[in-house]
Amino acid sequence: MVLVSGQEHQGKILVVDDDPLTQTVIRGMLEHESFTVVEAAGGEMALTLFREQPFDLVLLDVLMPEMDGFTTCARLRETPAGRMAPIVMITGLDDESSIRSAYGAGATDFITKPLNAFILVHRVRYILRATAAMRELAWRVDFQRVLIETLPVPFIVEDTKGHCLMANPAFATLQGEDAAGVADEPHAESRSRVPQPSSVDGTSIGAEGQRIYEAEILLAGKEPRSMIIHQAMFTPPVTGETGVISVLIDITERKKNEENRRLAETVFQNAADAIMVTSATGIIKSINPAFSTITGYGREEVMGLTPRLLRSGRQDNQFYAAFWASLRQYGKWSGELWQRRKNGEVYPVWETVAAVRSPEGRIIEYVSFFNDITARKQAEQEIFYRANYDPLTGLPNRSLFHERLEQALKQARRYDRRVALMFADLDRFKQVNDTLGHSFGDQLLGQAALRLEACVRDTDTVARQGGDEFVVVLPNVIEERDAGVVAEKIISRLREPFDLSGNIVHIGVSIGIALYPDHGDNSEDLVRHADLAMYQAKLAGRNTYRLYESAMADELNRQLMLETDLRTALQKNELELYFQPILKVEDKSLVRAEALLRWFHPRRGPVAPGEFIPLAEETGLIRDIGLWVFERACQTLEKWHELGLMIPLAINLTSAQVFRGLSLEVVSSLLERYHLAPESLVFEIAEGVLLADSAQARQWLKSIRQLGICLDLDDFGTGYSSLSCLKRFPIDRVKIDLSFVRDMVLDLDDRALVEAILALSRSLRLEVVAEGVETQEQFDLLRALGCGYAQGYYFSHPVSADAFVEVARALAAR
Ligand code: C2E
Ligand code: MG
Ligand code: MG
């Protein structure tokens, strides 16, 4: 039976008693004081009610028949609601053991019978108040615990000596300890765990018992962290001991951000690169000073405009399409482009544009960095030029030539074309260099390069291979003849005289041609074969061209072997001088002899001087050979004199000997050694010596002439020296080249030339010798034209020294 009476007022109280009278009494007392009362007649009923509804307090009788109060109390405590509810036992037994049993069963308090209404009500009120206070306290404690544990701001409470009284997990974490670690172990050294203010700006906790300062926390192995520390003194009323509570606010990130911002701003302001920030729609939002320096536009002039302002118009739509595609796909674009300055100047830049995205991935800005790369590009060009062009002639150098050749071959393979490769080597360049000096040699190369270039089309390549060697690549020729036409054009252009600061010189060129695919299918073979062909052109007498033939390789080998053999020819006594008479036309009397060198090769037999003299010149062997010739000529003359043959002897000198080797001292000392007068010698010099009209050459010739040695100009007409230039040299005679003599009988041009030479020589008072007279007819014609002297097979072949004595006797006897 449950009886509920009165309104809910002060609290709801469950009264458990088996005695209805006591129930009525208690209810009366409590309801009078506005408590709500629920009655239970026994323990079981109390338990049932308890499970159904909450109660603020339980009044529980001890002596009950069904279940006594102690047992009921213990069981009530086992229910969820019963754990916290205050339970007051009402007992008539106030002995010690009953009281102990009551508390042992979990009772909050007890009241002894007989009941006094005043005491009951006050006791109930007091217990309810105490319970409420306890609950409040428990809540507060719990709240604080949660607060302390979850508050992310580290704080610590220390006593004035620095012992830690309490710290929250955030503080422990800050210190690198686990959450429990800080508070449990009071700091052994009594030193505060809170970093102290630096002495400079250190403030002490003032009268207000508070201070705020900034300090750094330094922990081993960790980055220092900047903290703002709020400290307050407090004195807990219980202990009376003063403590300090420190709340630490980590401002490391904030400071870092600030620093980063400052740094970014400094970079922005001082960067050498122009920086431009635009909105997602392309409106310029900010620029740095370098932007103004490079573009010429100030801040106010560009704000609110778009970067189109800088467009040069040199990039096409395709460029911008690729630009935007890269920005969309990678969020970035880098490359070279042309911009236009405010003053209209167009200049190259290297630019990087990056998209700036919001955390959600939306593009919010674009940042562009660019710098003017004009200087860099110029330097690159300069480097490229230096690496690929010959500084002297401005032509592509060997490396670029190879690149072009490879390119031409690649195209030729693809389109089934023919490529011609020409090696062009200047003839007599060395003489110009030796006689006039290098600066004139350089001038000559420069002019030769221009002429070469003028001979070919724009698509052809003329390159300088080094020295006086040039290469020409004709990437598209139809047939062999086409290359020949170009070669002839080059030969005739280079045959024209060169004016080197007033010095007129004549050179020539020897050209070798190799064709792709006829003479090789790779650049290496073609180069080798063109070189071989060029070598053959040189051997063929220069100023000509040769197409590669497979036999040329054999010929080259022959040349190489000949060169090796020539080196030892002197020691092995394989050289000998032969002699040919020179006669006076008028009476066919012997006036002189010419010494002609012979090489009797042990395996090849006689090798003509025309073949080995150029080889000797090239290898430098001409110096020793020349001296040997000179000495052998002197010996022969001495011998002839002893035999009564008193004629002068002419010896041949090449320009190499004139300029290097045959010094005046050598000449004099040899004449002396063989007891010879200088008048008994004649030097036949090649036209080349005069070609390079140098002071050195003139000086040498003059001193030789002064010594008393006559000078004859050999092979006249084959070179380019004009008769008028002879005036400047101390020449005694000219020898008309045998090619004119041979043809003059039939060829009227040659005949006219011989006549002209004779006429001019007469006016210059020069004697003339006709070389290569082979027939009576030629002789008669020469005599008719008034030529003074003649030489040739018609009179005698060149013969040995001993044989010559006989030839001389026979001539004298006629
Ligand atoms: P060169 O000084 O013009 O000599 C004349 C050449 O014509 C010689 O050729 C001679 O054998 C040849 N010859 C003479 N009469 C006739 C003829 O009636 N018909 C034909 N077809 N040829 C005739 P060689 O001996 O072969 O010499 C060729 C060149 O070699 C010489 O031309 C000369 O420039 C050079 N040479 C010869 N010996 C020496 C030398 O000791 N030193 C130097 N530096 N050069 C030499
Ligand atoms: Mg001669
Ligand atoms: Mg000659």
Side-chain angles (χ1 to χ4, degrees):
M1 186 179 62
V2 179
L3 298 168
V4 179
S5 62
Q7 315 97 313
E8 287 195 296
H9 280 307
Q10 304 265 328
K12 195 159 99 177
I13 295 168
L14 174 66
V15 181
V16 188
D17 204 318
D18 59 319
D19 176 22
L21 184 64
T22 312
Q23 288 261 23
T24 311
V25 170
I26 293 175
R27 167 195 286 251
M29 289 173 182
L30 290 175
E31 281 184 352
H32 185 258
E33 292 298 326
S34 305
F35 288 103
T36 305
V37 177
V38 176
E39 291 175 343
E44 287 298 343
M45 190 176 172
L47 280 164
T48 308
L49 283 169
F50 220 80
R51 283 189 199 105
E52 287 167 357
Q53 52 190 299
F55 292 96
D56 296 315
L57 190 134
V58 180
L59 286 175
L60 179 60
D61 187 25
V62 174
L63 293 175
M64 289 184 293
E66 170 202 4
M67 188 194 296
D68 71 12
F70 300 128
T71 310
T72 306
C73 180
R75 290 194 55 189
L76 277 174
R77 280 286 183 239
E78 283 164 13
T79 66
R83 211 171 297 141
M84 296 299 290
I87 299 174
V88 179
M89 306 283 270
I90 300 170
T91 175
L93 316 162
D94 62 350
D95 60 300
E96 196 190 327
S97 84
S98 299
I99 292 169
R100 194 168 287 149
S101 300
Y103 286 124
T108 311
D109 201 0
F110 67 94
I111 300 174
T112 47
K113 288 179 186 170
L115 293 168
N116 170 317
F118 177 75
I119 287 177
L120 174 75
V121 169
H122 277 276
R123 199 58 167 266
V124 164
R125 281 219 178 102
Y126 168 75
I127 290 170
L128 283 175
R129 257 204 326 271
T131 304
M134 290 275 284
R135 284 211 179 112
E136 164 89 14
L137 192 64
W139 182 85
R140 269 177 202 276
V141 167
D142 204 41
F143 173 75
Q144 275 185 12
R145 180 186 58 78
V146 172
L147 195 66
I148 287 169
E149 279 175 8
T150 55
L151 198 68
V153 182
F155 75 82
I156 183 167
V157 184
E158 293 170 319
D159 65 18
T160 44
K161 295 194 198 81
H163 287 125
C164 172
L165 302 174
M166 186 185 70
N168 70 342
F171 186 85
T173 310
L174 178 71
Q175 297 276 326
E177 297 172 24
D178 67 41
V182 187
D184 289 350
E185 276 177 55
H187 210 252
E189 287 152 26
S190 304
R191 243 186 60 220
S192 172
R193 296 184 179 221
V194 179
Q196 298 304 302
S198 65
S199 55
V200 188
D201 67 347
T203 45
S204 54
I205 295 186
E208 312 84 44
Q210 283 189 351
R211 65 174 171 175
I212 299 173
Y213 62 91
E214 209 180 304
E216 272 194 339
I217 283 195
L218 299 166
L219 288 168
K222 286 195 174 170
E223 230 185 291
R225 303 201 69 84
S226 300
M227 297 283 166
I228 284 188
I229 297 162
H230 291 252
Q231 277 188 332
M233 306 273 277
F234 84 107
T235 309
V238 189
T239 61
E241 202 185 327
T242 306
V244 180
I245 174 161
S246 305
V247 178
L248 293 87
I249 298 162
D250 193 336
I251 55 164
T252 314
E253 294 311 315
R254 197 174 79 195
K255 279 190 102 161
K256 237 185 233 169
N257 286 344
E258 267 169 25
E259 254 165 51
N260 283 346
R261 231 198 340 265
R262 242 196 329 269
L263 191 71
E265 183 61 22
T266 312
V267 170
F268 185 78
Q269 291 298 334
N270 299 296
D273 276 18
I275 305 174
M276 166 176 70
V277 183
T278 64
S279 67
T281 54
I283 304 297
I284 299 176
K285 287 168 70 177
S286 104
I287 59 159
N288 72 340
F291 178 97
S292 301
T293 313
I294 293 173
T295 65
Y297 290 106
R299 240 184 86 79
E300 304 70 32
E301 292 172 288
V302 298
M303 283 304 147
L305 299 180
T306 73
R308 266 169 221 278
L309 177 79
L310 304 174
R311 281 200 184 177
S312 65
R314 289 213 190 166
Q315 281 80 227
D316 54 11
N317 289 340
Q318 210 180 334
F319 170 90
Y320 287 106
F323 171 90
W324 286 110
S326 169
L327 268 184
R328 265 193 301 273
Q329 192 174 353
Y330 308 110
K332 208 180 141 177
W333 178 86
S334 280
E336 231 179 80
L337 59 92
W338 294 89
Q339 290 186 346
R340 187 183 298 279
R341 280 190 242 279
K342 188 182 174 185
N343 66 13
E345 199 184 327
V346 171
Y347 59 102
V349 296
W350 178 263
E351 180 160 358
T352 299
V353 182
V356 181
R357 290 179 192 273
S358 68
E360 305 85 59
R362 205 163 34 84
I363 291 177
I364 44 173
E365 277 173 350
Y366 294 103
V367 186
S368 311
F369 306 85
F370 60 85
N371 55 24
D372 186 341
I373 53 169
T374 309
R376 196 183 85 191
K377 276 194 100 81
Q378 276 165 358
E380 274 171 10
Q381 267 168 9
E382 172 86 21
I383 288 165
F384 176 81
Y385 186 84
R386 276 194 216 169
N388 291 288
Y389 288 86
D390 168 45
L392 180 64
T393 58
L395 292 178
N397 63 11
R398 188 191 290 259
S399 124
L400 186 55
F401 151 67
H402 275 283
E403 206 173 286
R404 296 261 176 95
L405 177 60
E406 289 296 350
Q407 220 173 313
L409 291 179
K410 219 196 256 163
Q411 296 278 320
R413 274 180 212 120
R414 184 180 304 167
Y415 300 111
D416 212 7
R417 284 182 188 160
R418 213 177 225 147
V419 176
L421 173 64
M422 292 187 186
F423 264 53
D425 192 291
L426 302 187
D427 300 331
R428 281 194 292 272
F429 169 75
K430 221 162 120 43
Q431 281 171 26
V432 175
N433 228 12
D434 286 348
T435 56
L436 294 181
H438 288 284
S439 71
F440 287 92
D442 289 353
Q443 259 190 58
L444 177 58
L445 287 174
Q447 291 186 22
L450 287 176
R451 289 191 195 180
L452 275 166
E453 275 195 306
C455 290
V456 301
R457 281 179 295 195
D458 284 350
T459 46
D460 303 335
T461 296
V462 178
R464 183 168 172 220
Q465 180 80 342
D468 59 350
E469 218 171 273
F470 296 86
V471 282
V472 181
V473 181
L474 308 176
N476 190 10
V477 296
I478 312 294
E479 47 185 324
E480 279 185 13
R481 224 162 12 131
D482 300 349
V485 167
V486 175
E488 266 161 14
K489 199 161 142 194
I490 291 173
I491 290 168
S492 88
R493 278 294 280 133
L494 291 185
R495 205 196 280 261
E496 289 163 25
F498 286 82
D499 182 347
L500 310 177
S501 312
N503 292 283
I504 306 297
V505 303
H506 293 82
I507 58 160
V509 63
S510 301
I511 298 176
I513 306 174
L515 295 168
Y516 167 88
D518 315 55
H519 305 142
D521 64 353
N522 60 70
S523 62
E524 228 171 81
D525 285 352
L526 289 170
V527 164
R528 202 155 40 82
H529 292 163
D531 197 23
L532 265 176
M534 188 268 290
Y535 197 78
Q536 290 306 317
K538 278 231 181 283
L539 290 174
R542 300 163 193 240
N543 252 329
T544 183
Y545 76 90
R546 285 285 179 276
L547 265 164
Y548 172 75
E549 287 164 25
S550 54
M552 285 178 176
D554 304 340
E555 178 56 29
L556 181 75
N557 274 335
R558 207 177 98 84
Q559 289 292 330
L560 289 176
M561 280 165 64
L562 205 61
E563 188 182 319
T564 323
D565 294 343
L566 186 60
R567 288 180 193 280
T568 54
L570 266 179
Q571 288 100 304
K572 290 184 178 167
N573 275 324
E574 289 167 8
L575 297 184
E576 197 43 84
L577 278 188
Y578 268 39
F579 303 90
Q580 193 179 29
I582 298 172
L583 297 95
K584 197 171 186 178
V585 171
E586 201 184 340
D587 56 3
K588 291 194 187 169
S589 62
L590 175 65
V591 289
R592 217 168 33 253
E594 178 178 3
L596 293 161
L597 187 56
R598 295 289 175 265
W599 178 14
F600 296 100
H601 193 280
R603 275 169 286 119
R604 288 183 201 177
V607 182
E611 197 170 347
F612 70 88
I613 295 285
L615 202 62
E617 280 187 278
E618 243 164 66
T619 53
L621 288 169
I622 192 68
R623 189 192 158 96
D624 289 345
I625 291 176
L627 280 173
W628 180 88
V629 168
F630 192 72
E631 186 156 11
R632 178 52 66 95
C634 291
Q635 282 170 1
T636 310
L637 265 179
E638 198 185 29
K639 215 195 286 167
W640 284 351
H641 287 185
E642 281 164 12
L643 292 172
L645 181 57
M646 305 299 281
I647 50 162
L649 180 58
I651 58 175
N652 291 282
L653 297 179
T654 67
S655 59
Q657 287 173 284
V658 170
F659 296 111
R660 281 182 261 148
L662 204 57
S663 71
L664 223 57
E665 291 75 54
V666 171
V667 173
S668 319
S669 73
L670 277 172
L671 285 173
E672 210 170 299
R673 189 183 312 162
Y674 292 98
H675 318 290
L676 296 172
E679 289 73 26
S680 59
L681 276 185
V682 175
F683 283 172
E684 288 191 11
I685 53 168
E687 263 186 317
V689 178
L690 310 190
L691 278 180
D693 183 1
S694 76
Q696 192 197 352
R698 234 173 305 174
Q699 186 51 47
W700 188 87
L701 294 171
K702 221 166 101 190
S703 41
I704 287 291
R705 191 64 196 83
Q706 273 167 1
L707 201 67
I709 297 176
C710 282
L711 293 171
D712 290 8
L713 189 59
D714 210 347
D715 303 342
F716 189 76
T718 54
Y720 305 91
S721 44
S722 60
L723 276 172
S724 59
C725 95
L726 296 182
K727 273 191 288 192
R728 281 177 295 177
F729 296 93
I731 300 293
D732 297 283
R733 271 176 293 260
V734 295
K735 295 183 79 176
I736 301 178
D737 191 67
L738 49 81
S739 60
F740 302 109
V741 176
R742 186 182 56 218
D743 299 334
M744 71 179 176
V745 179
L746 295 172
D747 188 326
L748 290 178
D749 282 348
D750 281 343
R751 182 177 166 163
L753 205 105
V754 171
E755 280 181 275
I757 294 173
L758 285 167
L760 273 160
S761 302
R762 255 193 300 279
S763 73
L764 289 167
R765 294 180 211 298
L766 292 173
E767 290 180 359
V768 178
V769 184
E771 288 185 314
V773 181
E774 292 183 358
T775 64
Q776 175 79 45
E777 228 179 335
Q778 288 166 343
F779 179 73
D780 291 342
L781 183 55
L782 286 166
R783 186 164 33 196
L785 294 174
C787 178
Y789 303 87
Q791 174 185 5
Y793 297 164
Y794 177 58
F795 312 106
S796 165
H797 276 75
V799 294
S800 70
D802 292 340
F804 186 81
V805 179
E806 297 308 318
V807 169
R809 284 209 182 110
L811 282 169
R814 266 203 302 220

